[in-house]
């Protein structure tokens, strides 16, 4: 079930949210399972994958590159791989809104596809691709791009050589593209150094596909090495719930009086859980239970109870571990007492939209004072928000962050351009309804 073509959503102030729910599968892990399924020899089974716009883009691209992808009756995906022999796609590879599809698949395409053209929607065509084109070109890739750094990209695949590369921006997508290209290169070892640790799902999942990945700590970051020529073997992957989707429910539970919400079976990889650490500092009551390992990833249940919050400092070093949660953390900060300052987060400006500008304007539109900086923002929390009308700018995480604000606001929030939630969390409104929140698809009366 989806929310259909609702262009606006009105989120009235909510009563207490209570109950236990699951969230859809992790987006990052689903993309990687599809890509590695395409590259592997044999069959890959993917359980609890994220069935949403972005991962559908990866499936579409994987099929055009030669994978057979079927959905079984119980919903799991079966992927028959190419053993790394990619087919020349007979059409343009449309990556939709998905930066992960474009950047990480590019590593494989540059090494193995005879010729391919990658494009995406208006948002993706504005996002920086030089960060992947540069290192891949140093490996020998032939990639042409609009204005040298934007999609559409035209790629003539060919033999690559391993490189040593230090990431100039903390990006798991760039790291993953280079590691995949290094693995599929004709020769050499590829070593990627990341000064700050970014999500390591690629490394974890490559191991599950039988690839040897060497990792060592490097200051506050990591150094990762892969040798070319290793064969990926089809695997069975159980995708944990996406913490980045759970973040909206967690935030809503922390903000709406009387709430207690448990989100079960969520991925708790330490490279992703910065938001939970910040919530603790803000004074929220967060409990983790049933911790265990599934398909190489730490998984558990998160219970959050409503309570008062205080403003905090979010440091640059912790930004990669909460990068996608910063919009909803800004909403939490608006309801906290005191100032919350985020810096070292310039990357937010080149996400699906400029998320610093989008969340700052969205919060101002509903009654909060926010100062913008080039690399972050300061939210002046006053313990409450009026509500009003705000715009998602077509960005799924902005839309859902504004919905959380609506639930905790005095008058509710009307969100323009709501359909983008399909990109990562098509069942968001239904899950909130299960917890007791009522979202209205009809345009609300003027506030
Ligand atoms: C992702 C990495 C992050 C994140 C994005 C998904 C991934 O982007 O913001 O939503 O799956 O590797 P960057 O690698 O650009 O920081």
């Amino acid at each position: 079930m989806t929310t259909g073509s609702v262009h606006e959503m009105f989120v009235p102030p909510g009563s207490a949210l209570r109950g236990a729910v699951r969230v859809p599968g992790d987006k990052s892990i689903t993309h990687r399972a599809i890509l590695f399924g395409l590259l592997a020899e044999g069959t890959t089974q993917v359980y609890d994958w994220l069935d949403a716009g972005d991962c559908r883009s990866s499936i579409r691209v994987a099929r055009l590159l030669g994978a057979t992808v079927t959905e079984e009756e119980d919903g799991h995906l079966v992927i028959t791989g190419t053993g790394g022999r990619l087919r020349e796609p007979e059409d343009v590879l449309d990556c939709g809104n998905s930066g992960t599809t474009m950047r990480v698949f590019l590593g494989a395409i540059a090494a193995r596809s005879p010729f391919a053209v990658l494009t995406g929607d208006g948002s993706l065509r504005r996002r920086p691709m030089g960060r992947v084109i540069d290192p891949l070109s140093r490996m020998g890739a032939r990639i042409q791009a609009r204005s040298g750094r934007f999609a559409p990209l035209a790629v003539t695949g060919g033999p690559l050589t391993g490189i040593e590369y230090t990431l100039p921006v903390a990006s798991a997508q760039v790291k993953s593209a280079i590691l995949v290209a290094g693995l599929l290169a004709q020769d050499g070892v590829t070593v990627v150094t990341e000064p700050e640790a970014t999500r390591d799902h690629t490394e974890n999942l490559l191991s599950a596909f039988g690839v040897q990945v060497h990792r060592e700590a490097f200051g506050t970051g990591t150094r990762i090495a892969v040798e070319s020529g290793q064969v990926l073997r089809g695997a069975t992957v159980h995708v944990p719930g996406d913490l980045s989707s759970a973040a909206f429910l967690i935030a809503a539970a922390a903000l709406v009086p009387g709430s207690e919400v448990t989100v079960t079976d969520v991925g708790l990889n330490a490279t992703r859980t910065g938001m939970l650490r910040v919530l603790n500092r803000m004074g929220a009551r967060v409990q983790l239970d049933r911790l265990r390992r599934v398909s190489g990833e730490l998984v558990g249940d998160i219970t959050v109870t409503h309570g008062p919050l205080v403003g905090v400092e979010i440091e640059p070093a912790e930004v990669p571990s909460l990068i996608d949660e910063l919009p909803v953390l800004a909403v939490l900060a608006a309801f906290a007492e005191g100032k919350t300052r985020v810096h070292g987060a310039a990357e937010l400006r080149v996400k699906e939209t400029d998320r610093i500008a989008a969340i700052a304007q969205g919060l101002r539109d509903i009654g909060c004072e926010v100062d913008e900086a080039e690399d972050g923002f300061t939210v002046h929390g006053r313990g409450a928000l009026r509500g009003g009308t705000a715009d998602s700018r077509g960005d799924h995480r902005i839309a859902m962050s504004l919905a959380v604000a609506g639930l905790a606001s005095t008058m509710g929030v009307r969100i323009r351009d709501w359909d983008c939630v399909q990109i990562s969390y098509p069942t968001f409104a239904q899950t909130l309804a299960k917890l007791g929140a009522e979202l209205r698809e009809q345009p609300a009366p003027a506030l």
Side-chain angles (χ1 to χ4, degrees):
M1 231 304 266
T2 67
T3 48
S5 58
V6 180
H7 302 299
E8 280 190 2
M9 182 65 92
F10 178 63
V11 184
S15 49
L17 300 168
R18 300 191 76 88
V21 288
R22 286 178 69 118
V23 287
D26 187 276
K27 184 153 81 69
S28 294
I29 297 175
T30 301
H31 283 303
R32 287 154 173 80
I34 295 165
L35 173 62
F36 299 163
L38 159 75
L39 297 175
E41 271 180 4
T43 308
T44 291
Q45 322 271 338
V46 192
Y47 291 87
D48 300 322
W49 61 288
L50 171 63
D51 184 357
D54 262 13
C55 298
R56 289 265 165 199
S57 292
S58 281
I59 292 176
R60 189 168 57 236
V61 168
R63 282 183 173 142
L64 279 163
L65 291 167
T68 305
V69 185
T70 53
E71 289 175 59
E72 298 300 292
E73 253 175 43
D74 67 358
H76 88 274
L77 284 184
V78 179
I79 306 172
T80 307
T82 58
R85 292 169 293 277
L86 299 187
R87 181 207 291 160
E88 184 170 62
E90 58 185 30
D91 201 352
V92 167
L93 302 173
D94 180 1
C95 302
N97 191 242
S98 176
T100 309
T101 306
M102 183 169 283
R103 294 195 179 113
V104 184
F105 275 70
L106 186 63
I109 292 166
R112 293 293 170 92
S113 173
F115 174 74
V117 176
L118 294 90
T119 192
D121 68 9
S123 154
L124 188 52
R125 282 184 274 115
R126 284 189 293 274
R127 295 182 66 184
M129 292 299 144
R131 54 181 60 195
V132 270
I133 295 171
D134 290 348
L136 293 175
S137 300
R138 286 199 216 177
M139 299 174 83
R142 286 170 295 164
I143 304 169
Q144 288 180 305
R146 182 173 57 88
S147 302
R149 57 189 196 284
F150 297 111
L153 310 175
V155 189
T156 308
L160 304 185
T161 311
I163 50 163
E164 293 208 8
Y165 191 75
T166 299
L167 292 182
V169 282
S171 166
Q173 293 176 357
V174 177
K175 169 178 70 175
S176 302
I178 301 169
L179 289 175
V180 167
L183 192 58
L184 302 178
Q186 195 175 48
D187 50 54
V189 175
T190 290
V191 184
V192 179
T193 303
E194 46 176 11
E196 272 155 26
T198 66
R199 63 191 68 191
D200 60 359
H201 305 303
T202 294
E203 296 89 312
N204 294 340
L205 205 56
L206 278 177
S207 304
F209 278 75
V211 171
Q212 296 232 352
V213 181
H214 303 277
R215 298 194 239 187
E216 58 184 38
F218 179 82
T220 49
T222 319
R223 180 167 274 166
I224 309 111
V226 287
E227 203 169 322
S228 63
Q230 301 184 64
V231 177
L232 284 85
R233 309 244 175 247
T236 296
V237 182
H238 292 271
V239 181
D242 197 327
L243 180 61
S244 297
S245 296
F248 303 108
L249 309 178
I250 292 169
L255 292 180
V256 179
S259 297
E260 181 170 308
V261 169
T262 300
V263 187
T264 63
D265 310 297
V266 187
L268 293 171
N269 182 317
T271 61
R272 295 283 298 278
T273 48
M275 181 215 185
L276 301 181
R277 293 186 281 276
V278 170
L279 265 177
N280 271 323
R281 297 211 297 275
M282 295 180 95
R285 285 177 274 171
V286 182
Q287 193 185 313
L288 303 182
D289 295 295
R290 289 204 314 133
L291 296 183
R292 60 207 187 274
R293 281 209 173 264
V294 177
S295 294
E297 294 282 351
L298 186 65
V299 176
D301 298 351
I302 307 174
T303 300
V304 182
T305 315
H306 166 258
L309 303 179
V310 293
V312 292
E313 285 276 315
I314 298 178
E315 302 296 337
E318 57 190 339
V319 164
S321 69
L322 46 72
I323 184 77
D324 291 340
E325 288 65 71
L326 281 169
V328 78
L329 277 166
V331 170
L332 284 159
F335 288 93
E337 287 293 345
K339 249 197 275 186
T340 291
R341 193 163 74 105
V342 177
H343 51 133
E347 272 298 296
L348 270 189
R349 294 214 181 260
V350 290
K351 293 293 177 188
E352 284 81 334
T353 185
D354 175 343
R355 285 184 173 160
I356 294 179
I359 199 64
Q361 189 56 48
L363 283 174
R364 280 185 209 117
D365 288 343
I366 58 177
C368 182
E369 189 190 339
V370 184
D371 305 323
E372 258 184 67
E374 205 33 58
D375 70 337
F377 52 83
T378 301
V379 177
H380 300 268
R382 304 248 188 281
L385 263 192
R386 179 193 74 225
T389 298
D391 199 324
S392 76
R393 303 191 184 191
D395 183 317
H396 54 128
R397 300 207 195 280
I398 301 294
M400 291 184 276
S401 299
L402 292 169
V404 172
L407 291 171
S409 68
T410 316
M411 299 167 66
V413 172
R414 187 197 330 216
I415 302 147
R416 288 207 195 96
D417 206 346
W418 174 257
D419 296 351
C420 52
V421 299
Q422 302 291 334
I423 286 298
S424 66
Y425 198 166
T427 52
F428 178 64
Q430 288 94 313
T431 303
L432 275 181
K434 255 195 221 164
L435 293 171
E438 179 209 0
L439 273 54
R440 289 192 212 137
E441 300 185 0
Q442 298 304 318
L447 291 172

